[in-house]
Amino acid sequence: MKYAWIQSHRKEFSIASMCEFLNVSRSGFYDWQDAPKTEREKENEELIEQLGILFQEGRGTYGTRRLKRKLKEVGLYRQSASNQPVDEACWIGLQNET
């Protein structure tokens, strides 16, 4: 999680200062960055892409419950306690207009 935060803020702060502040090594960050994506990460990318499409189709009015229902309809929803992107739709800036 720390490495992902560093990655997303690398244009605002230097990598060295963020690594020092978060108490992680720069080499660890670069190893993480160069590592191949896991199956879970690939699935999450697909899920996040589908979330954006469904959200746009709903004209920006779909909330978490409706997005989950739509994902179930297309067979992409997975029931998991860990790292469920639909519960974290803010990752991609989705916020309904209600």
Short mmCIF file of all heavy atoms in Angstrom, two decimals, residues 26-71:
data_model
loop_
_atom_site.label_atom_id
_atom_site.label_comp_id
_atom_site.label_asym_id
_atom_site.label_seq_id
_atom_site.Cartn_x
_atom_site.Cartn_y
_atom_site.Cartn_z
N ARG A 26 14.14 2.60 -0.99
CA ARG A 26 13.96 2.94 -2.40
C ARG A 26 14.09 1.70 -3.27
O ARG A 26 13.34 1.52 -4.22
CB ARG A 26 14.96 4.00 -2.85
CG ARG A 26 14.59 5.40 -2.39
CD ARG A 26 15.52 6.42 -2.95
NE ARG A 26 16.88 6.08 -2.53
CZ ARG A 26 17.98 6.59 -3.05
NH1 ARG A 26 17.91 7.46 -4.03
NH2 ARG A 26 19.17 6.24 -2.62
N SER A 27 15.02 0.84 -2.92
CA SER A 27 15.21 -0.39 -3.71
C SER A 27 13.96 -1.27 -3.63
O SER A 27 13.58 -1.89 -4.62
CB SER A 27 16.44 -1.16 -3.25
OG SER A 27 16.30 -1.58 -1.90
N GLY A 28 13.32 -1.30 -2.47
CA GLY A 28 12.07 -2.05 -2.33
C GLY A 28 10.98 -1.47 -3.21
O GLY A 28 10.22 -2.21 -3.85
N PHE A 29 10.91 -0.15 -3.28
CA PHE A 29 9.93 0.50 -4.16
C PHE A 29 10.17 0.15 -5.61
O PHE A 29 9.26 -0.22 -6.34
CB PHE A 29 9.94 2.02 -3.98
CG PHE A 29 9.16 2.75 -5.03
CD1 PHE A 29 7.77 2.73 -5.01
CD2 PHE A 29 9.80 3.41 -6.06
CE1 PHE A 29 7.04 3.38 -5.99
CE2 PHE A 29 9.09 4.07 -7.04
CZ PHE A 29 7.70 4.06 -7.00
N TYR A 30 11.43 0.25 -6.05
CA TYR A 30 11.74 -0.05 -7.45
C TYR A 30 11.54 -1.53 -7.77
O TYR A 30 11.10 -1.86 -8.87
CB TYR A 30 13.16 0.41 -7.80
CG TYR A 30 13.27 1.92 -7.85
CD1 TYR A 30 14.07 2.61 -6.97
CD2 TYR A 30 12.54 2.66 -8.78
CE1 TYR A 30 14.17 4.00 -7.01
CE2 TYR A 30 12.62 4.03 -8.84
CZ TYR A 30 13.43 4.70 -7.95
OH TYR A 30 13.51 6.08 -8.00
N ASP A 31 11.83 -2.41 -6.80
CA ASP A 31 11.54 -3.83 -7.01
C ASP A 31 10.05 -4.06 -7.18
O ASP A 31 9.61 -4.81 -8.03
CB ASP A 31 12.06 -4.67 -5.83
CG ASP A 31 13.57 -4.80 -5.81
OD1 ASP A 31 14.21 -4.50 -6.84
OD2 ASP A 31 14.10 -5.19 -4.75
N TRP A 32 9.26 -3.39 -6.33
CA TRP A 32 7.80 -3.51 -6.41
C TRP A 32 7.30 -2.99 -7.76
O TRP A 32 6.45 -3.59 -8.40
CB TRP A 32 7.15 -2.73 -5.27
CG TRP A 32 5.67 -2.58 -5.38
CD1 TRP A 32 4.72 -3.47 -4.99
CD2 TRP A 32 4.96 -1.47 -5.96
NE1 TRP A 32 3.47 -2.99 -5.28
CE2 TRP A 32 3.58 -1.77 -5.87
CE3 TRP A 32 5.35 -0.26 -6.53
CZ2 TRP A 32 2.60 -0.89 -6.32
CZ3 TRP A 32 4.38 0.60 -6.98
CH2 TRP A 32 3.02 0.28 -6.88
N GLN A 33 7.85 -1.87 -8.19
CA GLN A 33 7.43 -1.24 -9.43
C GLN A 33 7.73 -2.12 -10.64
O GLN A 33 6.94 -2.18 -11.58
CB GLN A 33 8.14 0.10 -9.58
CG GLN A 33 7.70 0.92 -10.75
CD GLN A 33 8.43 2.26 -10.80
OE1 GLN A 33 9.45 2.46 -10.13
NE2 GLN A 33 7.92 3.16 -11.58
N ASP A 34 8.85 -2.83 -10.61
CA ASP A 34 9.26 -3.66 -11.74
C ASP A 34 8.70 -5.07 -11.70
O ASP A 34 8.84 -5.82 -12.66
CB ASP A 34 10.79 -3.73 -11.82
CG ASP A 34 11.41 -2.37 -12.11
OD1 ASP A 34 10.70 -1.52 -12.69
OD2 ASP A 34 12.58 -2.16 -11.76
N ALA A 35 8.09 -5.44 -10.59
CA ALA A 35 7.56 -6.80 -10.45
C ALA A 35 6.36 -7.00 -11.39
O ALA A 35 5.58 -6.07 -11.62
CB ALA A 35 7.12 -7.05 -9.01
N PRO A 36 6.20 -8.21 -11.93
CA PRO A 36 5.02 -8.47 -12.78
C PRO A 36 3.73 -8.40 -11.94
O PRO A 36 3.75 -8.66 -10.73
CB PRO A 36 5.26 -9.88 -13.31
CG PRO A 36 6.25 -10.48 -12.40
CD PRO A 36 7.05 -9.37 -11.79
N LYS A 37 2.66 -8.03 -12.58
CA LYS A 37 1.38 -7.91 -11.88
C LYS A 37 0.85 -9.29 -11.49
O LYS A 37 0.96 -10.24 -12.26
CB LYS A 37 0.36 -7.20 -12.76
CG LYS A 37 0.71 -5.76 -12.99
CD LYS A 37 -0.33 -5.05 -13.77
CE LYS A 37 0.11 -3.60 -13.95
NZ LYS A 37 -0.82 -2.84 -14.71
N THR A 38 0.26 -9.35 -10.31
CA THR A 38 -0.34 -10.59 -9.84
C THR A 38 -1.69 -10.78 -10.51
O THR A 38 -2.25 -9.85 -11.11
CB THR A 38 -0.54 -10.57 -8.31
OG1 THR A 38 -1.49 -9.54 -8.00
CG2 THR A 38 0.77 -10.31 -7.58
N GLU A 39 -2.22 -11.98 -10.40
CA GLU A 39 -3.55 -12.25 -10.96
C GLU A 39 -4.59 -11.34 -10.33
O GLU A 39 -5.49 -10.85 -11.00
CB GLU A 39 -3.93 -13.72 -10.76
CG GLU A 39 -3.27 -14.66 -11.71
CD GLU A 39 -3.58 -14.35 -13.17
OE1 GLU A 39 -4.76 -14.14 -13.50
OE2 GLU A 39 -2.63 -14.29 -13.97
N ARG A 40 -4.50 -11.12 -9.03
CA ARG A 40 -5.45 -10.25 -8.32
C ARG A 40 -5.38 -8.83 -8.88
O ARG A 40 -6.41 -8.19 -9.09
CB ARG A 40 -5.15 -10.27 -6.83
CG ARG A 40 -5.97 -9.30 -5.99
CD ARG A 40 -7.47 -9.58 -6.02
NE ARG A 40 -7.82 -10.79 -5.36
CZ ARG A 40 -8.39 -10.86 -4.17
NH1 ARG A 40 -8.68 -9.78 -3.52
NH2 ARG A 40 -8.70 -12.02 -3.66
N GLU A 41 -4.19 -8.32 -9.11
CA GLU A 41 -4.05 -6.98 -9.66
C GLU A 41 -4.65 -6.89 -11.06
O GLU A 41 -5.30 -5.89 -11.39
CB GLU A 41 -2.57 -6.57 -9.69
CG GLU A 41 -1.98 -6.31 -8.32
CD GLU A 41 -0.48 -6.11 -8.35
OE1 GLU A 41 0.19 -6.71 -9.20
OE2 GLU A 41 0.00 -5.34 -7.49
N LYS A 42 -4.43 -7.91 -11.87
CA LYS A 42 -5.02 -7.94 -13.21
C LYS A 42 -6.55 -7.97 -13.14
O LYS A 42 -7.23 -7.27 -13.88
CB LYS A 42 -4.50 -9.13 -14.00
CG LYS A 42 -3.04 -9.04 -14.35
CD LYS A 42 -2.56 -10.31 -15.02
CE LYS A 42 -1.06 -10.31 -15.22
NZ LYS A 42 -0.58 -11.59 -15.78
N GLU A 43 -7.08 -8.79 -12.22
CA GLU A 43 -8.54 -8.86 -12.05
C GLU A 43 -9.08 -7.52 -11.59
O GLU A 43 -10.13 -7.08 -12.06
CB GLU A 43 -8.89 -9.94 -11.02
CG GLU A 43 -8.66 -11.35 -11.49
CD GLU A 43 -8.85 -12.36 -10.37
OE1 GLU A 43 -9.25 -11.97 -9.25
OE2 GLU A 43 -8.58 -13.55 -10.62
N ASN A 44 -8.37 -6.87 -10.66
CA ASN A 44 -8.83 -5.58 -10.15
C ASN A 44 -8.82 -4.52 -11.25
O ASN A 44 -9.72 -3.68 -11.30
CB ASN A 44 -7.97 -5.13 -8.98
CG ASN A 44 -8.30 -5.86 -7.70
OD1 ASN A 44 -9.31 -6.56 -7.61
ND2 ASN A 44 -7.44 -5.73 -6.72
N GLU A 45 -7.82 -4.54 -12.12
CA GLU A 45 -7.79 -3.58 -13.23
C GLU A 45 -8.99 -3.78 -14.15
O GLU A 45 -9.62 -2.81 -14.58
CB GLU A 45 -6.49 -3.72 -14.01
CG GLU A 45 -5.31 -3.13 -13.29
CD GLU A 45 -4.02 -3.28 -14.07
OE1 GLU A 45 -4.03 -3.88 -15.16
OE2 GLU A 45 -3.00 -2.78 -13.58
N GLU A 46 -9.31 -5.04 -14.45
CA GLU A 46 -10.47 -5.33 -15.28
C GLU A 46 -11.75 -4.87 -14.59
O GLU A 46 -12.64 -4.27 -15.21
CB GLU A 46 -10.54 -6.82 -15.59
CG GLU A 46 -11.72 -7.21 -16.45
CD GLU A 46 -11.83 -8.71 -16.65
OE1 GLU A 46 -10.96 -9.47 -16.20
OE2 GLU A 46 -12.82 -9.11 -17.29
N LEU A 47 -11.82 -5.13 -13.30
CA LEU A 47 -13.01 -4.76 -12.53
C LEU A 47 -13.17 -3.24 -12.48
O LEU A 47 -14.27 -2.72 -12.66
CB LEU A 47 -12.90 -5.34 -11.12
CG LEU A 47 -14.11 -5.25 -10.23
CD1 LEU A 47 -15.31 -5.95 -10.86
CD2 LEU A 47 -13.80 -5.88 -8.88
N ILE A 48 -12.08 -2.54 -12.26
CA ILE A 48 -12.14 -1.08 -12.20
C ILE A 48 -12.54 -0.49 -13.55
O ILE A 48 -13.33 0.46 -13.62
CB ILE A 48 -10.79 -0.51 -11.70
CG1 ILE A 48 -10.64 -0.81 -10.21
CG2 ILE A 48 -10.69 0.98 -11.96
CD1 ILE A 48 -9.27 -0.51 -9.65
N GLU A 49 -12.03 -1.07 -14.63
CA GLU A 49 -12.42 -0.62 -15.96
C GLU A 49 -13.91 -0.83 -16.18
O GLU A 49 -14.62 0.06 -16.67
CB GLU A 49 -11.62 -1.38 -17.02
CG GLU A 49 -11.91 -0.93 -18.42
CD GLU A 49 -11.08 -1.68 -19.45
OE1 GLU A 49 -9.94 -2.06 -19.14
OE2 GLU A 49 -11.59 -1.89 -20.57
N GLN A 50 -14.41 -1.99 -15.79
CA GLN A 50 -15.83 -2.29 -15.93
C GLN A 50 -16.68 -1.38 -15.05
O GLN A 50 -17.76 -0.95 -15.44
CB GLN A 50 -16.10 -3.76 -15.60
CG GLN A 50 -17.50 -4.21 -15.93
CD GLN A 50 -17.79 -4.19 -17.42
OE1 GLN A 50 -16.92 -4.41 -18.25
NE2 GLN A 50 -19.02 -3.92 -17.78
N LEU A 51 -16.18 -1.06 -13.85
CA LEU A 51 -16.89 -0.14 -12.96
C LEU A 51 -17.08 1.22 -13.62
O LEU A 51 -18.16 1.81 -13.55
CB LEU A 51 -16.12 0.05 -11.66
CG LEU A 51 -16.32 -0.97 -10.57
CD1 LEU A 51 -15.32 -0.73 -9.44
CD2 LEU A 51 -17.73 -0.94 -10.05
N GLY A 52 -16.02 1.71 -14.24
CA GLY A 52 -16.11 3.01 -14.93
C GLY A 52 -17.13 2.98 -16.04
O GLY A 52 -17.91 3.93 -16.21
N ILE A 53 -17.16 1.89 -16.81
CA ILE A 53 -18.13 1.76 -17.91
C ILE A 53 -19.55 1.74 -17.36
O ILE A 53 -20.43 2.45 -17.85
CB ILE A 53 -17.83 0.49 -18.73
CG1 ILE A 53 -16.51 0.67 -19.48
CG2 ILE A 53 -18.96 0.20 -19.71
CD1 ILE A 53 -15.97 -0.61 -20.10
N LEU A 54 -19.78 0.91 -16.34
CA LEU A 54 -21.13 0.82 -15.75
C LEU A 54 -21.56 2.14 -15.14
O LEU A 54 -22.73 2.53 -15.23
CB LEU A 54 -21.17 -0.29 -14.70
CG LEU A 54 -21.02 -1.72 -15.22
CD1 LEU A 54 -20.88 -2.70 -14.05
CD2 LEU A 54 -22.19 -2.11 -16.11
N PHE A 55 -20.63 2.83 -14.51
CA PHE A 55 -20.95 4.11 -13.89
C PHE A 55 -21.37 5.12 -14.95
O PHE A 55 -22.33 5.87 -14.76
CB PHE A 55 -19.74 4.61 -13.10
CG PHE A 55 -20.03 5.78 -12.22
CD1 PHE A 55 -20.72 5.62 -11.03
CD2 PHE A 55 -19.61 7.05 -12.57
CE1 PHE A 55 -20.98 6.70 -10.21
CE2 PHE A 55 -19.87 8.13 -11.76
CZ PHE A 55 -20.56 7.95 -10.57
N GLN A 56 -20.65 5.15 -16.07
CA GLN A 56 -21.01 6.06 -17.16
C GLN A 56 -22.35 5.69 -17.78
O GLN A 56 -23.15 6.57 -18.12
CB GLN A 56 -19.92 6.06 -18.24
CG GLN A 56 -18.61 6.67 -17.78
CD GLN A 56 -18.77 8.11 -17.36
OE1 GLN A 56 -19.49 8.88 -17.97
NE2 GLN A 56 -18.09 8.48 -16.30
N GLU A 57 -22.61 4.38 -17.93
CA GLU A 57 -23.90 3.94 -18.47
C GLU A 57 -25.04 4.37 -17.57
O GLU A 57 -26.15 4.63 -18.03
CB GLU A 57 -23.91 2.42 -18.63
CG GLU A 57 -23.07 1.93 -19.79
CD GLU A 57 -23.02 0.41 -19.87
OE1 GLU A 57 -23.65 -0.27 -19.02
OE2 GLU A 57 -22.35 -0.09 -20.78
N GLY A 58 -24.79 4.44 -16.27
CA GLY A 58 -25.81 4.87 -15.32
C GLY A 58 -25.87 6.37 -15.16
O GLY A 58 -26.50 6.87 -14.22
N ARG A 59 -25.22 7.10 -16.05
CA ARG A 59 -25.20 8.57 -16.05
C ARG A 59 -24.73 9.15 -14.72
O ARG A 59 -25.20 10.19 -14.27
CB ARG A 59 -26.57 9.10 -16.43
CG ARG A 59 -27.01 8.71 -17.82
CD ARG A 59 -28.38 9.27 -18.13
NE ARG A 59 -29.38 8.94 -17.13
CZ ARG A 59 -30.20 7.90 -17.16
NH1 ARG A 59 -30.14 7.08 -18.18
NH2 ARG A 59 -31.08 7.68 -16.21
N GLY A 60 -23.81 8.44 -14.07
CA GLY A 60 -23.22 8.96 -12.83
C GLY A 60 -24.11 8.87 -11.61
O GLY A 60 -23.84 9.51 -10.61
N THR A 61 -25.18 8.07 -11.69
CA THR A 61 -26.10 7.99 -10.56
C THR A 61 -26.02 6.67 -9.80
O THR A 61 -26.68 6.52 -8.78
CB THR A 61 -27.56 8.18 -11.03
OG1 THR A 61 -27.88 7.14 -11.95
CG2 THR A 61 -27.74 9.53 -11.69
N TYR A 62 -25.23 5.72 -10.28
CA TYR A 62 -25.15 4.42 -9.62
C TYR A 62 -24.32 4.52 -8.34
O TYR A 62 -23.21 5.04 -8.34
CB TYR A 62 -24.50 3.38 -10.53
CG TYR A 62 -25.39 2.84 -11.62
CD1 TYR A 62 -26.64 3.36 -11.86
CD2 TYR A 62 -24.97 1.80 -12.42
CE1 TYR A 62 -27.45 2.86 -12.86
CE2 TYR A 62 -25.77 1.29 -13.43
CZ TYR A 62 -27.00 1.83 -13.64
OH TYR A 62 -27.81 1.32 -14.62
N GLY A 63 -24.86 3.96 -7.28
CA GLY A 63 -24.13 3.85 -6.02
C GLY A 63 -23.53 2.46 -5.90
O GLY A 63 -23.57 1.66 -6.83
N THR A 64 -22.97 2.17 -4.74
CA THR A 64 -22.30 0.90 -4.51
C THR A 64 -23.21 -0.29 -4.72
O THR A 64 -22.84 -1.26 -5.39
CB THR A 64 -21.72 0.86 -3.09
OG1 THR A 64 -20.82 1.96 -2.92
CG2 THR A 64 -20.96 -0.42 -2.84
N ARG A 65 -24.42 -0.23 -4.18
CA ARG A 65 -25.33 -1.38 -4.30
C ARG A 65 -25.69 -1.68 -5.76
O ARG A 65 -25.71 -2.82 -6.19
CB ARG A 65 -26.58 -1.14 -3.48
CG ARG A 65 -26.34 -1.18 -2.00
CD ARG A 65 -27.63 -1.03 -1.23
NE ARG A 65 -27.34 -0.96 0.18
CZ ARG A 65 -27.72 0.02 0.97
NH1 ARG A 65 -28.43 1.02 0.48
NH2 ARG A 65 -27.40 0.03 2.24
N ARG A 66 -26.00 -0.64 -6.49
CA ARG A 66 -26.38 -0.85 -7.89
C ARG A 66 -25.19 -1.32 -8.73
O ARG A 66 -25.33 -2.16 -9.60
CB ARG A 66 -26.95 0.44 -8.48
CG ARG A 66 -27.67 0.18 -9.80
CD ARG A 66 -28.26 1.43 -10.37
NE ARG A 66 -29.52 1.76 -9.72
CZ ARG A 66 -30.18 2.90 -9.95
NH1 ARG A 66 -29.70 3.79 -10.80
NH2 ARG A 66 -31.31 3.15 -9.35
N LEU A 67 -24.00 -0.79 -8.44
CA LEU A 67 -22.81 -1.24 -9.15
C LEU A 67 -22.54 -2.72 -8.87
O LEU A 67 -22.21 -3.48 -9.77
CB LEU A 67 -21.59 -0.40 -8.77
CG LEU A 67 -21.50 0.98 -9.40
CD1 LEU A 67 -20.35 1.76 -8.78
CD2 LEU A 67 -21.33 0.89 -10.89
N LYS A 68 -22.71 -3.13 -7.61
CA LYS A 68 -22.52 -4.55 -7.27
C LYS A 68 -23.52 -5.41 -8.04
O LYS A 68 -23.16 -6.47 -8.57
CB LYS A 68 -22.69 -4.77 -5.78
CG LYS A 68 -21.53 -4.31 -4.96
CD LYS A 68 -21.79 -4.59 -3.48
CE LYS A 68 -20.65 -4.11 -2.61
NZ LYS A 68 -20.88 -4.36 -1.19
N ARG A 69 -24.77 -4.96 -8.09
CA ARG A 69 -25.80 -5.73 -8.80
C ARG A 69 -25.45 -5.86 -10.28
O ARG A 69 -25.57 -6.93 -10.87
CB ARG A 69 -27.16 -5.04 -8.62
CG ARG A 69 -28.31 -5.89 -9.09
CD ARG A 69 -29.69 -5.27 -8.82
NE ARG A 69 -29.76 -4.36 -7.71
CZ ARG A 69 -30.17 -3.08 -7.79
NH1 ARG A 69 -30.55 -2.58 -8.96
NH2 ARG A 69 -30.22 -2.32 -6.73
N LYS A 70 -25.01 -4.75 -10.89
CA LYS A 70 -24.65 -4.79 -12.31
C LYS A 70 -23.43 -5.69 -12.55
O LYS A 70 -23.37 -6.40 -13.55
CB LYS A 70 -24.36 -3.37 -12.83
CG LYS A 70 -25.59 -2.51 -12.93
CD LYS A 70 -26.48 -3.02 -14.03
CE LYS A 70 -27.63 -2.10 -14.28
NZ LYS A 70 -28.52 -2.59 -15.33
N LEU A 71 -22.45 -5.64 -11.65
CA LEU A 71 -21.28 -6.51 -11.80
C LEU A 71 -21.67 -7.99 -11.69
O LEU A 71 -21.13 -8.83 -12.39
CB LEU A 71 -20.22 -6.18 -10.74
CG LEU A 71 -19.43 -4.91 -10.97
CD1 LEU A 71 -18.54 -4.62 -9.77
CD2 LEU A 71 -18.60 -4.99 -12.23
#
